[in-house]
Amino acid sequence: METDSKHEVKHSAEAEQSAGWTRLYITVVVALVVQIAFYVWLTKTFA
Amino acid sequence: MSTFDILVLGSTLCAIVFFGVWKTRNDHNLSDFLKGSSNHWGTIGLSVMATQASAITFLSTPGLAYDSGMAFVQNYFGMPLALILIAVVFVPMYYKLELCSVYEFLEHRFDSKTRTLGSIIFLIQRGFSAGITIYAPSIILTSVLGWDMNTTVIGVGLAVIIYTVTGGSHAVSLTHKYQMTVILSGMAVAFGIVVYKISGHASFTENLSIAGALGHLNVVDLSFDLDKRYTLWSGLLGGFFLSLAYFGTDQSQAQRYMSGNSTRDSRLGLMFNALLKVPMQFMILLLGVLVFVFYQWEKPPATFLPDATVEKIADLEADAYKELEEAFMVTFETQQVALAGYVDAMRTGDKVQEEISKVAVQEAGQSIRDARSNLKDHIADVSGEVSMKETDYVFIHFVLNELPVGLIGLLVAVILSAAMSSTASELSALATISTVDFYQRFIQKERGEKHYVLASRIFTAIWGGLAILFALFASMVESLIEAVNIVGSLFYGTVLGLFLAAFFIKRIGGHAAFFAGLVVQVSVVGLYLSNLVQIGYLWYNLIACVSVILLSLILQLFLGKNAALNNSES
């Protein structure tokens, strides 16, 4: 079976990259950053 | 436990097992059995969460926070980023190739022997973990509840085997939904009760200040010290690679999110975890910290080790033990006075007095730690056991002594549900790999669907039996949750390196990938066992992963370009 992994990965990833998904991924990253900032604040405030 | 608690516990667990068997009684299809196809994203999200959250998470994590604070949460910081990469790159490829075993991808990209290497590493690593998953809660529950160890291990193991053999991956996903419901509601109740109990002594913020003064709100460590187990950087980098390996290349997780209707369901299930896992872990650790604060106000036992162990030691060296116990109680009374002074100072708003009282609390806290440590050393000396880690017993002690009747049964059900949920995923994944990657390829190649369903059922039962045997003969390891993570970190890096090379570096061929994987895996295990290098275990994920990629690139240079092309066209 002939496979061209890099091409397939690129193609599949591009095909699925809708604006909705991008927004969701950005939301996840922003949520993580906000949480880390909160934990840093918690550490600094109560240490 | 009271009769009512036993009734709550028994009915909860029996209902889950019965539900799993009943709902999948008509499943005879190989795809349903191995992949459990057609799940909604909510079910996938809970199933992924339930697979990762073992009983150790709920027993050991609050104890870890009680002992050393909340730094462990940093371990999970890299996870959301890893899940995004998996959702974007891995999931579409796995769906496109319609994989039952994720290691089939290594054959598509490299060759048969690299797939076999990936599958063997998985079977060794996950087979070992399945034993710990049953053993860990059993050793703790039997010692504090007085249950028989063998009966508990066999009971939990058989309950899982029953519905996993009957319904396979489909039953695992369905039961995960209800197990997570029990787990989340049980933990929420425990959290509410500890908050209520400490609110009688001081406000929530004041209690947090006490935890902070005693060094238990050290959530984030920004230092670059490689020797430290948990820092922001080891959490982001090491945690990213550990999560990428665990969710992207471990069959027990991939099988959960590949059970969706479409890539959409799988991705949403993963993003559900990317959003909720860190806060959930934070709340479990905060629960441990609040239990710590509770035992600053209320008299704790001098040691949380099981009564039977302590009584035996106390009898052997009665005078010495009593003296150390009394010394501990004196330090506790000093702490009571210091805490009252600290809270008064916070309420009056006198900053100078607040600082003075804070130092008094810290000094009393240190005295308590020293007194407890002396007692622990004494117990270890008398018993001859050097690694008696009492943190694993802290949360269960709180549950058994502070929760009302009925809720104790619910919380023990939480712990056993978690043990069952992660074991079920492991057994289902082990059976799938045994069937698809070995039995179907090397032993019985051209048999019908019914034959392979039967083979999968037999493999599930065999792996379940082996996990039970391991749990029956395992000996106590220092900290159970860390043992699981250490084992994972020693094996995941290699497999992740193979997968990343497969996805992103076209020039690497099968021979180079296989030999690089083999050499790195042996080296990493050798390095860890030899104790030559002292680094936090999370770094092994990164080291092994990068080593596999670099070594396979170097090997490929020697093998030449043609070897890579021939391999990718096999």
Side-chain angles (χ1 to χ4, degrees), chain A residues 1 3-6 8-9 12-13 16-17 21 24-25 28-29 31-32 35-36 38-40 42-44 46-47, chain B residues 77 84 87-89 92-93 108-109 208-209 212-213 217 219-220 267 271 274 278-279 282 358 502-503 568 570:
Chain A
M1 176 178 171
T3 56
D4 183 340
S5 175
K6 198 171 178 181
E8 283 178 10
V9 172
S12 330
E16 300 284 342
Q17 288 288 344
W21 286 114
L24 180 59
Y25 300 141
V28 170
V29 174
L32 177 67
Q35 282 178 85
I36 293 176
F38 170 68
Y39 299 147
V40 171
L42 203 64
T43 307
K44 301 271 181 209
F46 290 98
Chain B
F77 286 172
I84 291 174
V88 174
V89 178
M93 179 58 87
H108 280 288
R109 172 61 181 82
L208 285 185
S209 297
L217 282 183
V219 191
V220 179
R267 284 170 157 182
M271 289 308 102
V278 180
F282 174 81
K358 188 176 172 181
F503 272 113
S568 65
S570 61

Side-chain angles (χ1 to χ4, degrees), chain B residues 9 13 55 137 141 147 152 156 411-421:
Chain B
L9 169 66
L13 298 184
L141 291 176
W147 295 352
T152 310
V156 172
L411 263 290
V412 177
V414 165
I415 292 160
L416 290 178
S417 290
M420 287 162 67
S421 66

Side-chain angles (χ1 to χ4, degrees), chain B residues 124-424:
Chain B
I124 294 172
Q125 189 259 100
R126 197 42 66 188
F128 175 68
S129 299
I132 293 187
T133 314
I134 299 180
Y135 165 75
S138 303
I139 184 77
I140 295 166
L141 291 176
T142 53
S143 56
V144 292
L145 295 171
W147 295 352
D148 177 61
M149 174 73 182
N150 292 356
T151 314
T152 310
V153 163
I154 293 168
V156 172
L158 278 182
V160 176
I161 290 171
I162 288 170
Y163 69 82
T164 318
V165 165
T166 316
S169 184
H170 190 201
V172 174
S173 295
L174 288 173
T175 48
H176 275 166
K177 258 200 306 192
Y178 296 95
Q179 283 160 338
M180 273 317 288
T181 309
V182 172
I183 288 168
L184 292 177
S185 40
M187 293 307 276
V189 166
F191 193 90
I193 286 177
V194 72
V195 168
Y196 172 73
K197 282 185 179 269
I198 58 173
S199 66
H201 300 282
S203 72
F204 189 70
T205 322
E206 287 162 352
N207 280 311
L208 285 185
S209 297
I210 291 168
L214 293 168
H216 277 63
L217 282 183
N218 50 345
V219 191
V220 179
D221 184 339
L222 298 167
S223 70
F224 287 94
D225 190 348
L226 280 181
D227 205 24
K228 281 191 178 172
R229 264 192 180 169
Y230 311 116
T231 66
L232 175 67
W233 317 111
S234 76
L236 279 172
L237 260 178
F240 172 79
F241 281 97
L242 177 63
S243 302
L244 198 58
Y246 176 54
F247 291 97
T249 71
D250 187 311
Q251 177 70 19
S252 65
Q253 272 297 355
Q255 195 163 340
R256 308 294 12 116
Y257 60 78
M258 293 304 292
S259 64
N261 275 321
S262 62
T263 54
R264 180 184 174 277
D265 284 306
S266 297
R267 284 170 157 182
L268 285 174
L270 287 174
M271 289 308 102
F272 173 87
N273 280 270
L275 280 169
L276 294 182
K277 183 67 191 179
V278 180
M280 185 182 113
Q281 214 56 42
F282 174 81
M283 293 307 284
I284 295 171
L285 285 162
L286 186 59
L287 173 61
V289 168
L290 295 180
V291 169
F292 169 78
V293 174
F294 172 77
Y295 282 124
Q296 301 304 304
W297 291 112
E298 302 287 335
K299 196 170 158 187
T303 172
F304 287 98
L305 289 171
D307 291 345
T309 312
V310 176
E311 279 162 17
K312 209 165 67 187
I313 307 295
D315 286 347
L316 280 173
E317 296 268 350
D319 290 343
Y321 185 86
K322 208 173 170 192
E323 206 174 295
L324 289 165
E325 197 176 37
E326 277 169 6
F328 170 77
M329 289 309 160
V330 170
T331 59
F332 173 71
E333 281 157 19
T334 313
Q335 178 70 301
Q336 293 288 287
V337 178
L339 284 178
Y342 187 38
V343 170
D344 280 347
M346 281 191 278
R347 286 179 185 173
T348 54
D350 183 344
K351 291 290 168 193
V352 178
Q353 189 55 42
E354 196 178 315
E355 273 309 305
I356 294 169
S357 312
K358 188 176 172 181
V359 172
V361 168
Q362 286 167 337
E363 283 172 357
Q366 189 55 46
S367 302
I368 289 186
R369 234 191 312 273
D370 292 343
R372 198 183 274 282
S373 176
N374 290 339
L375 194 69
K376 234 172 91 175
D377 290 346
H378 173 72
I379 292 172
D381 284 346
V382 176
S383 67
E385 289 184 42
V386 283
S387 62
M388 296 186 80
K389 191 105 174 169
E390 64 174 340
T391 52
D392 293 328
Y393 297 92
V394 172
F395 184 59
I396 191 73
H397 179 92
F398 174 81
V399 167
L400 294 175
N401 291 283
E402 303 300 332
L403 263 56
V405 173
L407 287 181
I408 295 175
L410 177 69
L411 263 290
V412 177
V414 165
I415 292 160
L416 290 178
S417 290
M420 287 162 67
S421 66
S422 39
T423 308

